[in-house]
Amino acid sequence: MMGTSIAPWLELAHDLDLSVDFIGIREDTTLDLDDLEEKLTERTRVVAFPLAANALGTTTDAARITELAHAAGALAWADAVHYAPHGPIDVAALGVDVLLCSPYKFFGPHLGLAFGREELLRSWRPYKVRPAAEEPVGGRFETGTLAHELLAGFVAAVDYLDALGWEAVQAHERALGQRFLDRAPDNCTLYGLETMSGRVPTFAFRAEGMAPREVAEQLAAREIAVWDGDYYAVEPMTRLGLQPDGAVRAGFVHYNTFEEVDRLLAALADL
Ligand SMILES: Cc1ncc(COP(=O)(O)O)c(C=O)c1O
């Protein structure tokens, strides 16, 4: 297991007396799939992983992780929350058994979203309220009365992204991210991949001689919103030796402009 949504698995392990193991990351912050292969046994039930790391922006090879999980007889359980604003998600192509997401990350309302393979969902017995529909099978996992206004917002968010097109979103984000990588000032140390392949434009960095909080405050004074700390990604931040202060995290999405990237770069150079 790796990623942000770790704590609920630890709670479940506590309640059901399961054991949870963690997969390491390599020097470059990519997931160590050799380590995964070594740790998989016939007793492994679930391989939980994110499509993109929320602290570092590094993406995972979900199709390969799924293949390894399935070869060991385990479920492949993806957390798409951080990846969602940055690219299309094709559960069939990835082959995952379960995928969880949060529409607010892709410009929709605060609603939970889950995909489950039909056969798998049919094999489960949820704590279903009576008004929740039996069919289609996903209904069994819903509330009795659906959040209709949020669902309307969700449909609008999907339509919005569809109108933009993922190709345009990804091309623009890639260009923004590349500009940030190319021009990042020397006083900043980036943690994560230094190219736009294998990542989304979420950048964790430290500025020389300054606490991440101090950097975040100086940027805030210039009306640039970033986050300092560990963003709940305690394991990778510990692995990178960044705790307890974490790092500064700045992310770009499709509505950001080159001028905004330059404004951030100028502010970092002035720290
Ligand atoms: C990878 C990842 N998983 C899970 C979460 C938590 O999702 P939610 O805010 O919908 O609880 C986040 C939130 O930022 C995240 O980045």
Side-chain angles (χ1 to χ4, degrees), residues 4-5 50 52 54 79 81-82 102 104-105:
T4 325
S5 43
N54 74 317
D79 172 347
V81 178
H82 192 75
S102 302
Y104 76 89
K105 294 285 189 194

Side-chain angles (χ1 to χ4, degrees), residues 122 128-140:
R122 288 197 184 284
K128 188 181 96 54
V129 289
R130 288 183 183 134
E134 275 290 338
E135 297 291 339
V137 66
R140 299 176 198 179

